[in-house]
Amino acid sequence: MAVIGEFIRKAIDVYGFITSEPDPARAQLTVLQNLLEKARLTAFGKKYNFSKILQSDDVIGAFQREVPVHDYDKLYDDWWHYLLEGHQNVTWPGGQHYFALSSGTTSNSKSIPVTDDMLDAIRKSGMQQVMSLKNFDLPADFFEKQIMMLGSSVSLIEKDDHQEGEISGISAANIPGWFKAFYKPGAEIASITDWDEKVRRIAEEAPTWDIGSLSGIPSWVEMMLKEVISHNRLNTIHDIWPNLQVYTTGGVAFEPYRKSFEKLLAKPLIYIDTYLTSEGYLATQKRPDTTSLALILDNGIFFEFVPFSNENMDEDGRVKPDAEVLTLEQAQENTDYVLLISTVSGTWRYMIGDTVMITDKQRSEIKITGRTKHFLNVVGEQLSVFQMNQAMQNLQSQYDLEIKEFVVAAVRKDGEYINKWYVGSNRTVDNQAFAVSLDQELCESNKNYKVARSKSLKGVEAEVIPVEQFYRWSEDYKKLGGQTKIPRVMKEEDFLDFEQYIRNLS
């Protein structure tokens, strides 16, 4: 009998029995009050009268009136650049030991402060995820198995008074001591910065590990699993890790990868989605009968929601100063919102860049629907990444394809705009027929797109290419592994550069 595992499972069950989900409105007000109280004597807190806000009968309303909405550029230009110069007490008490280097879908590098309070919050949110495993009916011996966390390097960049790296590397470098016995690939391999070398070492060491769960961005986890299978001459990953039962995903939608991912398995896995960003751990999937994510409401992050509409957004994808902003209590289900967060890392009314939809208000559950700058709306298409993913899933079935990556842009052809797509797959198809099918799918799912196709959007073209070409581009222009994600939408100039790169490979 798995004595230790049974003890852990019972402890999780007891914890779940004696605790309950917080009241959303009360929890969020408490979080905001704590944020304001702790930061009231910082330069930012004094500038925006945090002490006065705290005395208001309507703290949230006063906060929204006093403090403007920020994006990264505004926070950096006005405040965060002082942190990188060594100043303290700027937007959060004290200084920062870490800065997260954003490696998402935007091209510009970002340095986001990660405070000790944020590291504590991430650990607590991780524990909430662990505690929610009681809902997934896992056997006792699962809790004795090792956990493979495939993230960026824990070998951080040393600066004068701080260290820099991706948030997954910073988090892994600060895991609690008790967890190190479970953590793989271990500090030595996790510190390797070269992706190919890291994966090679994992493949070599894999036979000595008993992995029960995986976590990481789908594309890179899949590449790692393929290398382990190939190196050890296996049929599936379960030949070497027979106790693998859970995959914790995040960063991008998993569904486009599911078909090819499951070819590497001998038995089904439990999939658990998470929402960990460079700015904080925002949400996690807490139950098996949904793919939605429950916002973490009582752990250092205050959420606000801006209806994603032309009235509230400028042409650069930023929230307008006079935009309508709602609390979680005021927001409605099944509406696209731009997410704003204020956190224990000193982000204040910060536009994280994601759009979300509340799917279950009672449970505070959301789906990530896209990026504010990665909605395609050059000529009125108003296409979200969520709708694009749905269309690609349908086309996978229609054409018997594995579609793992894609990118689209509105480009000019003969003086008119068309949508041009590159689709990364396991085999080629008739590009013209695929473009027609894609166009039909999008017309059926999005009335704005259908209207645009009858007016300003004059055509749709698609090229299905080997998915490896996307990864070669990522390696040459970004980097492989870690939290690196391939963009779904590009501006015309960037797209034409990408297209030229792909053509040069031919």
Side-chain angles (χ1 to χ4, degrees):
M1 180 180 179
V3 178
I4 297 176
E6 187 66 38
F7 175 80
I8 295 172
R9 188 173 69 170
K10 286 183 177 179
I12 290 173
D13 289 343
V14 169
Y15 179 86
F17 180 77
I18 64 175
T19 60
S20 59
E21 294 297 323
D23 174 75
R26 188 179 299 116
Q28 282 286 273
L29 176 58
T30 299
V31 165
L32 179 59
Q33 290 172 327
N34 290 340
L35 290 172
L36 295 171
E37 178 63 35
K38 188 152 187 179
R40 64 188 178 85
L41 297 181
T42 63
F44 192 96
K46 291 179 179 179
K47 166 76 174 178
Y48 292 110
N49 303 308
F50 281 9
S51 294
K52 180 181 177 182
I53 292 172
L54 284 164
Q55 296 171 3
S56 172
D57 292 334
D58 177 13
V59 170
I60 293 176
F63 174 67
Q64 292 176 331
R65 289 189 294 272
E66 287 283 345
V67 182
V69 172
H70 292 79
D71 63 3
Y72 173 80
D73 291 336
K74 180 173 176 57
L75 260 181
Y76 179 85
D77 291 344
D78 292 351
W79 302 97
W80 283 351
H81 75 275
Y82 291 114
L83 296 172
L84 289 166
E85 295 165 9
H87 296 273
Q88 297 190 0
N89 301 312
V90 178
T91 57
W92 194 252
Q96 276 65 49
H97 296 128
Y98 301 98
F99 281 83
L101 303 178
S102 174
S103 57
T105 48
T106 54
S107 57
N108 295 328
S109 176
K110 300 177 181 178
S111 297
I112 297 165
V114 181
T115 63
D116 291 343
D117 288 325
M118 177 54 73
L119 289 175
D120 287 342
I122 290 172
R123 283 192 284 266
K124 290 176 183 176
S125 296
M127 287 306 299
Q128 286 197 31
Q129 181 196 336
V130 170
M131 293 306 169
S132 69
L133 291 175
K134 66 182 176 61
N135 300 323
F136 292 85
D137 194 28
L138 289 160
D141 63 357
F142 168 79
F143 297 97
E144 294 185 327
K145 306 307 176 186
Q146 295 164 329
I147 300 172
M148 165 67 74
M149 297 169 57
L150 188 66
S152 53
S153 175
V154 300
S155 181
L156 305 176
I157 302 168
E158 294 284 348
K159 298 292 184 176
D160 288 341
D161 62 348
H162 66 269
Q163 294 177 300
E164 297 178 350
E166 292 182 12
I167 190 62
S168 60
I170 294 171
S171 299
N174 286 275
I175 60 174
W178 64 266
F179 185 70
K180 292 180 180 179
F182 296 92
Y183 166 59
K184 294 299 176 188
E188 180 191 352
I189 295 176
S191 66
I192 298 173
T193 55
D194 181 80
W195 166 257
D196 293 327
E197 172 65 12
K198 179 186 290 185
V199 171
R200 183 185 66 80
R201 287 289 309 279
I202 289 172
E204 291 173 351
E205 297 292 332
T208 67
W209 300 335
D210 187 7
I211 303 296
S213 66
L214 300 168
S215 69
I217 287 179
S219 53
W220 311 128
V221 170
E222 183 175 327
M223 292 173 67
M224 180 271 293
L225 293 178
K226 285 181 176 178
E227 180 62 25
V228 172
I229 290 169
S230 174
H231 179 85
N232 293 283
R233 296 183 174 87
L234 311 172
N235 292 317
T236 74
I237 196 62
H238 280 111
D239 294 340
I240 199 168
W241 295 334
N243 295 306
L244 177 61
Q245 299 180 67
V246 173
Y247 170 44
T248 302
T249 182
V252 297
F254 174 66
E255 284 304 317
Y257 303 90
R258 181 188 288 269
K259 188 174 182 180
S260 58
F261 193 92
E262 292 185 342
K263 288 184 176 181
L264 307 177
L265 313 174
K267 51 190 175 184
L269 298 184
I270 293 171
Y271 300 111
I272 301 175
D273 204 357
T274 61
Y275 190 8
L276 173 63
T277 72
S278 298
E279 292 84 1
Y281 196 153
L282 308 187
T284 188
Q285 182 184 342
K286 291 187 175 181
R287 55 193 182 99
D289 50 344
T290 183
T291 57
S292 295
L293 301 155
L295 291 170
I296 299 172
L297 302 175
D298 57 353
N299 192 26
I301 300 176
F302 179 72
F303 299 97
E304 296 176 90
F305 302 82
V306 180
F308 189 57
S309 63
N310 290 335
E311 292 77 18
N312 290 330
M313 308 299 295
D314 67 21
E315 61 184 11
D316 294 320
R318 295 185 177 93
V319 173
K320 292 179 179 177
D322 60 348
E324 179 185 20
V325 185
L326 307 175
T327 63
L328 177 59
E329 190 176 17
Q330 296 165 333
Q332 302 299 314
E333 293 181 359
N334 302 317
T335 299
D336 278 317
Y337 291 106
V338 178
L339 189 62
L340 307 180
I341 59 172
S342 300
T343 78
V344 291
S345 265
T347 64
W348 296 104
R349 310 199 73 205
Y350 177 87
M351 191 182 78
I352 198 169
D354 290 330
T355 59
V356 302
M357 179 183 293
I358 298 171
T359 56
D360 188 322
K361 189 170 178 178
Q362 184 177 1
R363 292 187 172 97
S364 303
E365 289 179 342
I366 63 166
K367 283 185 180 293
I368 304 167
T369 55
R371 299 281 292 171
T372 53
K373 295 184 180 181
H374 289 169
F375 271 73
L376 185 60
N377 192 28
V378 174
V379 290
E381 309 98 317
Q382 295 189 33
L383 277 178
S384 71
V385 173
F386 179 77
Q387 291 166 336
M388 297 176 197
N389 283 333
Q390 290 292 111
M392 291 300 168
Q393 288 176 42
N394 293 338
L395 291 174
Q396 281 190 126
S397 300
Q398 183 177 338
Y399 284 87
D400 191 26
L401 287 173
E402 296 174 5
I403 299 174
K404 301 178 184 177
E405 305 291 351
F406 63 85
V407 65
V408 61
V411 299
R412 281 161 289 197
K413 184 177 182 180
D414 301 325
E416 304 280 3
Y417 272 107
I418 68 167
N419 282 174
K420 179 67 181 288
W421 299 74
Y422 276 92
V423 179
S425 182
N426 60 325
R427 64 180 184 85
T428 58
V429 297
D430 183 296
N431 288 328
Q432 187 172 356
F434 186 90
V436 170
S437 298
L438 176 57
D439 190 30
Q440 291 173 346
E441 287 283 343
L442 296 174
C443 282
E444 290 175 6
S445 66
N446 187 314
K447 63 182 180 181
N448 295 307
Y449 176 86
K450 187 175 183 179
V451 170
R453 284 291 288 117
S454 67
K455 295 182 179 180
S456 52
L457 184 60
K458 298 304 181 182
V460 177
E461 295 181 3
E463 292 189 32
V464 180
I465 62 175
V467 71
E468 290 76 18
Q469 294 185 8
F470 277 87
Y471 298 143
R472 287 188 62 180
W473 172 82
S474 181
E475 185 172 21
D476 288 347
Y477 284 87
K478 293 184 138 192
K479 62 179 179 178
L480 285 172
Q483 291 179 276
T484 306
K485 292 165 278 190
I486 292 171
R488 296 305 191 210
V489 178
M490 287 184 179
K491 294 182 179 179
E492 182 176 15
E493 181 180 356
D494 294 334
F495 182 87
L496 294 176
D497 289 342
F498 173 85
E499 184 172 58
Q500 187 60 53
Y501 178 88
I502 296 301
R503 287 176 176 169
N504 289 340
L505 293 178
S506 303

